[in-house]
Amino acid sequence: MLEEAALSLHQYDYELPEELIAQEPIEPRDAARLMVVRRATHSIEHRIFRELPSLLDPGDLLIVNDSRVLPARLLGHRLTGGKVEILLVQPLEGTTVWLALARPARKLRPGETITIQPRDPQLAQPAPLRIRERRSGGQVIVELDPGIAERLDAFGHVPLPPYIHRPLSDPERYQTVYARHPGSVAAPTAGLHFTERLLDELRQRGIRIAPLTLHVGIGTFKPIEVTDVRLHKMHAEWYAVPAETVSLIRETRAANRRIVAVGTTAARTLESIADALTGDTEGPITGWTDLYIYPGYHWRVVDALITNFHLPRSTLILLVASFAGRELILEAYREAVQQRYRFYSFGDAMLIL
């Protein structure tokens, strides 16, 4: 029985010196540090990410999220001259009508036109964006000019998290090397540590790698605003698991080998299709998930997890605490601070076995 105290949000807080928040990615990608947390022995080891093949076993199946981050951050101004920032979150009608976050949203009015500036004036001319509807929490419904919708790369910027204050010289460093399907507003950051060479080494060791897609949405920006963690609500996100990946998961489970999720997005997707995996239905599995994983959750698919170090009091730290246990995770985070690990999106990684 989970103690009531473990369901209180303040139980998932920790002290983090600001200088440990990584402002830029490490080079090469697989040079990041890797903390190995073993649940069975409650032990912690310090390794390097490129050593991952030696920490997994032949027959293990690595599941990666191949979603690609959209250049979803649009910068423009109102007719009054005031600056506006629009973050496209989810398409609602084709490629032109989107749910978005706006800043400052309170000043915007339905029917108002915002002039969006291109990233480079030599690439495109400014184009209009119309505010269709204003909602609570900074949300708006916007309609893009076809010139923006069809050339988003010419107008949009990669939406880095708010705690990263330095511009990224190469936007591809906020994409995984296996990113294929555009649709996310934030990167599945556990996958940022992989290189093509490391993926080849994993395959040579007999570790199979299979993709799924979960497009990271607005929920990644939504903080928990309730004291009782059970009362938080997740936003739904779209996922697709290819038929070949479904078959590999079933084969791996039948052989009593491990399913290793790369990141919390892959983990949530796998747990969302747990019921479908028990059947014999062939073909891909697609849908929307608002699965919220916090301590007390019974894990059904994932056997091991690769993840980054997450913000305190976030849904992500609740997920990893559910997987490894709150006390062990908080001990690991204290150790990471003491050992000067790098935190958050461009930071170091953790392997939970």
Side-chain angles (χ1 to χ4, degrees), residues 184-202:
S184 283
V185 298
T189 54
L192 294 179
H193 306 291
F194 287 90
T195 63
E196 294 291 359
R197 182 180 65 180
L198 182 58
L199 293 170
D200 287 341
E201 290 178 4
L202 286 161

Side-chain angles (χ1 to χ4, degrees), residues 100 109-111 130-135 139-142:
R109 298 288 180 266
R130 188 169 69 89
I131 305 296
R132 271 198 181 184
E133 179 184 337
R134 191 179 72 180
R135 297 182 176 181
Q139 296 184 43
V140 291
I141 305 299
V142 301

Side-chain angles (χ1 to χ4, degrees), residues 263-329:
T264 57
T265 59
R268 285 183 61 241
T269 305
L270 290 169
E271 293 299 314
S272 298
I273 65 170
D275 286 337
L277 290 172
T278 61
D280 55 4
T281 303
E282 296 183 1
I285 303 173
T286 64
W288 292 82
T289 180
D290 60 358
L291 178 63
Y292 174 32
I293 298 177
Y294 57 88
Y297 175 80
H298 174 63
W299 289 78
R300 302 170 61 190
V301 181
V302 178
D303 301 303
L305 175 65
I306 298 171
T307 188
N308 279 20
F309 292 89
H310 303 294
L311 275 73
R313 299 181 174 224
S314 64
T315 58
L316 303 180
I317 198 170
L318 286 169
L319 184 150
V320 296
S322 165
F323 191 70
R326 184 180 68 89
E327 292 183 2
L328 180 56
I329 282 299

Side-chain angles (χ1 to χ4, degrees), residues 79-226:
L79 293 179
T80 59
K83 293 182 179 179
V84 179
E85 180 176 328
I86 302 289
L87 178 64
L88 304 177
V89 172
Q90 180 185 320
L92 301 179
E93 298 176 22
T95 60
T96 58
V97 180
W98 288 73
L99 171 67
L101 294 176
R103 188 170 60 180
R106 59 185 177 81
K107 295 183 177 181
L108 301 178
R109 298 288 180 266
E112 182 174 358
T113 297
I114 307 298
T115 300
I116 301 299
Q117 302 297 324
R119 287 193 301 107
D120 183 341
Q122 295 183 349
L123 295 177
Q125 296 296 314
L129 173 152
R130 188 169 69 89
I131 305 296
R132 271 198 181 184
E133 179 184 337
R134 191 179 72 180
R135 297 182 176 181
S136 61
Q139 296 184 43
V140 291
I141 305 299
V142 301
E143 183 175 350
L144 305 182
D145 180 87
I148 301 177
E150 295 167 8
R151 299 189 62 199
L152 195 56
D153 285 342
F155 287 87
H157 303 256
V158 173
L160 294 177
Y163 48 76
I164 294 177
H165 308 301
R166 299 176 190 170
L168 194 58
S169 59
D170 179 9
E172 282 301 306
R173 286 300 277 109
Y174 194 57
Q175 307 279 7
T176 62
V177 296
Y178 45 73
R180 296 291 181 271
H181 304 292
S184 283
V185 298
T189 54
L192 294 179
H193 306 291
F194 287 90
T195 63
E196 294 291 359
R197 182 180 65 180
L198 182 58
L199 293 170
D200 287 341
E201 290 178 4
L202 286 161
R203 295 185 185 99
Q204 290 168 13
R205 183 166 162 75
I207 297 157
R208 295 187 289 186
I209 302 166
L212 54 74
T213 305
L214 180 131
H215 290 322
V216 183
I218 193 172
T220 192
F221 300 103
K222 183 176 174 60
I224 298 178
E225 298 175 338
V226 291

